[in-house]
Amino acid sequence: MHPRSIYNKEPDFGDLAKEFASFKPFVKQTENGRNYIDFKDPEANRELCKCLLKKDFDLDVEFPLDTLCPAVPNRLNYILWLEDLIEDTLPSKKDCLGIDIGVGASCIYPLLGCVANPTWRFLGTEINQRSVDIAKRNVERNQLDERITIKYNPDPSKIFLVDKDKEYTFSMCNPPFYSSQEEIDQGLLNKELEPSAICTGSDNEMITKGGEFAFIKLMIMESLELQQQIHWYTSMIGLKRTIRPLVRLLNDQGITNYTITNFTQGKTVRWAIAWSFRPERPLNIHAIETWRPVYRSEIKLPKETAFVQDCTKDILQDLEIDCSVEEDEVDEIVLHCNAPRNTWSRAARRQKKRQKLQKEDPTDTKTTTNEEPFQFRLDLSSSRSKASTWYQIVWLSGGNKQQFEGFWSHLKKRVEEQCGIHRGTSFNK
């Protein structure tokens, strides 16, 4: 559960029953007086959802029993995670435009997102006309029709219905998890315990050809065409086994800016994935370390911090990399660096040496191996003994994975040699 979630404390069903007469018939008591409801009762689930939305968000929502009943705490988790993702990578971004793919009859994500964030707006798309009609009524019922637009998608094979002249902050989706009813039934059989809650989703909400992997794969392939028109592409993941092939697909397509998190509600765990073609990388949001791309590396050097700082600055100056120094923390130094071009590859160093011999203009970079500029940070902190230094690089934005790894390999080798660590052939300028 997200630390900012109001549902870190379980709702009191007894209090809800006192406040909402419609919920009272579904509340039962154990012998020791604990209030509970039967989560296998679809009417009880629907009434709980409606009451929580009204009590905690002042939202008036209606949806049929044969459509997906959204678990409010889990849906709120997704919204809070999106807030963190935007704050981490777009801290000055306030006026956000999001897309909810498969908005459903309840329209819960746009409704929650707009209530929690007064400057957010949404486009909700849906392939079921009945759900579109109900979602529109829920939007109008809550006077949010100026901020939420619902569109019918007549083509299930197409994911994104975007306006060509608009940029979107994020897209979100709770895709159909399963490929068939048989897969749903098999999933229930494989559980050690019976499911604690009934699922009331319709076929189009629960089942898609190829399951959720095929659905999210289609999202990824369409995102290759849209690129930066949507800043963050995101999706819920219902099955843990889907994560690995999705990460492999992202890497195969050259997408290295991604993150994966998990949401927990009671005994239920869900995951979420986000990817982007923009340079800003998430560094501070909750992510599963197993699936975190390599944004940072760390080594320990047998020299004091001041010595390491001096030799690092000399190396960066030789590589024509700009840096500014921040020393706010005790025994910690941060170097903010910008590499406008690749000056560390063998080809770049050979060209620089040739320019010196031939007295050419060193600013002439026509034949230099020229890759996308990137920004990084170097964190230097003293060990407890203060006789050694923890040395960390953090990839912030720009560039690509190969460029980042190549630079770190070059810098690491040079700074280790300056500190008396020699591995293999010594570096020669």
Side-chain angles (χ1 to χ4, degrees), residues 41-64:
D41 180 348
E43 292 190 36
N45 269 309
R46 181 177 64 174
E47 203 59 40
L48 173 62
C49 175
K50 290 167 58 178
C51 292
L52 288 177
L53 289 173
K54 185 63 179 176
K55 177 180 182 294
D56 296 325
F57 304 97
D58 196 26
L59 286 169
D60 186 8
V61 178
E62 293 286 348
F63 51 91

Side-chain angles (χ1 to χ4, degrees), residues 220 245-256 258 273 275:
I220 292 172
L246 284 178
V247 170
R248 189 180 299 121
L249 176 64
L250 289 173
N251 284 302
D252 287 346
Q253 299 303 321
I255 304 171
T256 60
Y258 63 85
I273 188 169
W275 67 96

Side-chain angles (χ1 to χ4, degrees), residues 342 344-351:
N342 187 333
W344 53 89
S345 67
R346 284 194 177 94
R349 298 199 307 271
R350 281 198 298 266
Q351 178 176 326

Side-chain angles (χ1 to χ4, degrees), residues 383-401:
S383 64
R384 287 186 179 181
S385 65
K386 299 189 183 299
S388 57
T389 300
W390 287 106
Y391 193 76
Q392 183 184 75
I393 186 171
V394 182
W395 179 12
L396 298 176
S397 65
N400 57 55
K401 184 179 180 182

Side-chain angles (χ1 to χ4, degrees), residues 138-300:
N138 279 322
V139 170
E140 292 167 0
R141 185 181 288 114
N142 291 282
Q143 293 84 49
L144 287 168
D145 41 305
E146 291 187 1
R147 295 170 57 196
I148 301 174
T149 301
I150 307 297
K151 281 187 179 180
Y152 171 64
N153 180 4
D155 184 2
S157 67
K158 184 172 178 58
I159 301 292
F160 295 102
L161 299 183
V162 298
D163 294 330
K164 292 182 179 179
D165 59 341
K166 287 185 179 179
E167 288 192 357
Y168 300 82
T169 314
F170 62 85
S171 66
M172 63 189 309
C173 181
N174 185 21
F177 293 158
Y178 302 101
S179 60
S180 65
Q181 182 61 48
E182 290 73 18
E183 189 179 5
I184 296 176
D185 296 339
Q186 190 62 43
L188 295 178
L189 287 173
N190 289 338
K191 288 182 180 291
E192 293 183 6
L193 300 173
E194 285 190 333
S196 57
I198 192 169
C199 182
T200 58
S202 59
D203 283 353
N204 72 280
E205 292 173 313
M206 298 296 296
I207 298 171
T208 188
K209 185 177 180 180
E212 66 177 2
F213 171 73
F215 193 94
I216 302 173
K217 178 181 178 180
L218 183 57
M219 292 173 63
I220 292 172
M221 301 314 290
E222 283 193 24
S223 75
L224 292 171
E225 300 176 10
L226 296 172
Q227 293 279 320
Q228 296 189 15
Q229 189 174 358
I230 300 174
H231 198 115
W232 281 105
Y233 299 84
T234 78
S235 178
M236 187 89 81
I237 298 173
L239 306 172
K240 189 176 183 181
R241 66 174 181 265
T242 305
I243 299 175
R244 185 180 296 278
L246 284 178
V247 170
R248 189 180 299 121
L249 176 64
L250 289 173
N251 284 302
D252 287 346
Q253 299 303 321
I255 304 171
T256 60
N257 189 6
Y258 63 85
T259 186
I260 296 170
T261 192
N262 59 333
F263 306 134
T264 303
Q265 179 193 343
K267 297 178 182 179
T268 302
V269 180
R270 294 287 181 260
W271 298 265
I273 188 169
W275 67 96
S276 178
F277 298 91
R278 301 285 186 115
E280 298 83 8
R281 301 179 182 280
L283 297 173
N284 302 308
I285 65 169
H286 172 67
I288 302 174
E289 289 297 328
T290 306
W291 304 107
R292 187 190 290 271
V294 180
Y295 293 152
R296 64 185 78 200
S297 293
E298 187 176 60
I299 55 174
K300 191 175 184 180

